[in-house]
């Protein structure tokens, strides 16, 4: 056993499976943490435990929160009749960093995909249609990735909402072809949001 | 607050300060973990806590362990009269992965550095000299980085042990100039160890 104890070895193995990490970076991080074991490492363990125990999905929008309703849905200062639809929470975070949108969100949890057999009922699409009708939504902004699946999903939702009294828009210029929102700089996202077009 | 809750935001900030990570990679990892919050995330929290609580330095060699004496020092199958001196535990792990060395280790915890005002007494050098005398060590292998500070430290130790009845060797071919052990592949380290030369 090269790495000190069974727990250290298990910790390195678990860290190495996190996105963007591998065995080498995991070992560096674990050794760094062991050097800071009374401070940073203990704090990290506590925060991970607390977030693991307390995180859940907002019952309204699907955002990650530590309450039944997320801070955005609960914020009376935000516009109630505009919903920005995103693929996942990473995109919601990216839009919030851009600070250009002051309405509510709806997290789909993925995109339609024939290949992966993901249909509308596997995503937050039925609940989106419910919300649009129930809350008298004025505009639905489809902030989906400029990928084939993202755009298929955008068109599906636009079609599904065609009968409702709602304007459906999509992010326009600024999102490069094949680009994923989470990788764009905040300014680009804000520009694309401001220049959104009707679908 | 873009990231769901105060704890999530604190977790992202803490993760972003780990070696090799930044805000973007920290957000990706935290979202990945929240998706796996009942499994991987809870497990990671528990392992971090356990390693933080149980890790300490081997009283003999300075290796990280969860006992008073590390598994290497406690292993009766390993040669007792050969000590491989390394700068830090990352290098010890790298050498163990190479599986070429079957003796004991001594972790210095750094290198001599005039710039950072690190002298022999700040490192495990006095305790190394004690061990060499007390345990009748036959060979001390200085497996230090091929950097200026690493080689200064190697020469200092070789001089300090000149009066003792011990052969002092250093890693030879295979370690590139300016190279750090932790970044070498395992085969290179093994080759350098086998071709070690007397200093
Ligand atoms: Zn919400
Ligand atoms: Zn030891």
């Amino acid at each position: 056993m090269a790495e000190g104890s069974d727990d250290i070895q298990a910790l390195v193995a678990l860290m190495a499976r996190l996105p963007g990490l591998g065995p080498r970076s995991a070992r560096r991080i674990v050794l760094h943490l062991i050097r800071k074991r009374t401070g940073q490492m203990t704090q990290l363990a506590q925060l991970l435990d607390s977030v693991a125990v307390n995180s859940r999905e907002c019952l309204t929008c699907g955002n990650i929160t530590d309450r039944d309703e997320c801070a955005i849905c609960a914020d009376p200062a935000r516009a109630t009749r505009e919903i920005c639809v995103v693929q996942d929470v990473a995109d919601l975070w990216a839009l919030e960093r851009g600070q250009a949108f002051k309405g509510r969100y709806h997290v789909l949890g993925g995109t339609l995909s024939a290949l992966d057999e993901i249909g509308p009922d596997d995503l937050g699409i039925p609940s989106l249609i419910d919300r649009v009708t129930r809350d008298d939504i004025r505009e639905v902004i489809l902030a989906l990735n400029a990928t084939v699946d993202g755009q298929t999903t955008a068109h599906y939702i636009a079609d599904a909402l065609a009968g409702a009294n709602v304007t459906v828009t999509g992010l326009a210029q600024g999102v490069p072809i094949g680009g994923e929102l989470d990788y764009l700089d905040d300014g680009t996202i804000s520009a694309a949001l401001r220049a959104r077009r009707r679908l």
Side-chain angles (χ1 to χ4, degrees), chain A:
Chain A
M1 171 182 51
E3 283 101 8
S5 73
D6 291 343
D7 275 354
I8 294 177
Q9 208 163 32
L11 180 57
V12 168
L14 193 59
M15 283 265 185
R17 281 162 47 208
L18 296 178
L21 299 186
R24 183 182 302 269
S25 45
R27 286 193 296 262
R28 291 184 75 80
I29 288 172
V30 168
L31 274 174
H32 167 90
L33 286 170
I34 290 176
R35 269 180 225 115
K36 316 227 165 204
R37 57 188 174 271
T38 55
Q40 229 179 358
M41 192 178 203
T42 306
Q43 208 185 337
L44 183 58
Q46 285 164 355
L47 276 172
L48 281 166
D49 183 62
S50 160
V51 170
V53 169
N54 296 318
S55 291
R56 46 202 149 138
E57 285 161 16
C58 170
L59 295 175
T60 303
C61 77
N63 187 15
I64 293 292
T65 176
D66 53 2
R67 288 159 222 192
D68 284 345
E69 193 163 55
C70 77
I72 294 170
C73 286
D75 183 352
R78 297 187 69 125
T80 55
R81 296 179 63 203
E82 288 171 37
I83 292 179
C84 183
V85 177
V86 291
Q87 180 181 324
D88 55 39
V89 174
D91 296 333
L92 188 159
W93 288 5
L95 280 153
E96 283 298 286
R97 289 196 300 277
Q99 298 187 323
F101 179 66
K102 294 298 179 195
R104 312 297 170 102
Y105 288 93
H106 197 83
V107 180
L108 294 180
T111 52
L112 297 173
S113 168
L115 203 68
D116 298 329
E117 297 186 346
I118 298 174
D121 293 344
D122 301 315
L123 305 173
I125 293 181
S127 61
L128 171 66
I129 294 171
D130 283 353
R131 271 181 87 184
V132 167
T133 322
R134 190 186 60 225
D135 298 346
D136 193 20
I137 300 301
R138 190 164 38 197
E139 181 176 1
V140 169
I141 302 166
L142 301 173
L144 298 172
N145 289 333
T147 56
V148 172
D149 283 344
Q151 292 310 299
T152 303
T153 307
H155 285 291
Y156 179 91
I157 294 173
D159 286 350
L161 291 174
N165 183 28
V166 62
T167 302
V168 180
T169 58
L171 297 186
Q173 64 207 54
V175 182
I177 300 298
E180 302 199 332
L181 288 190
D182 190 30
Y183 280 92
L184 298 181
D185 65 286
D186 305 343
T188 305
I189 288 189
S190 307
L193 186 76
R194 283 190 298 270
R196 63 188 182 268
R197 64 194 159 74
R198 183 184 292 264
L199 292 188

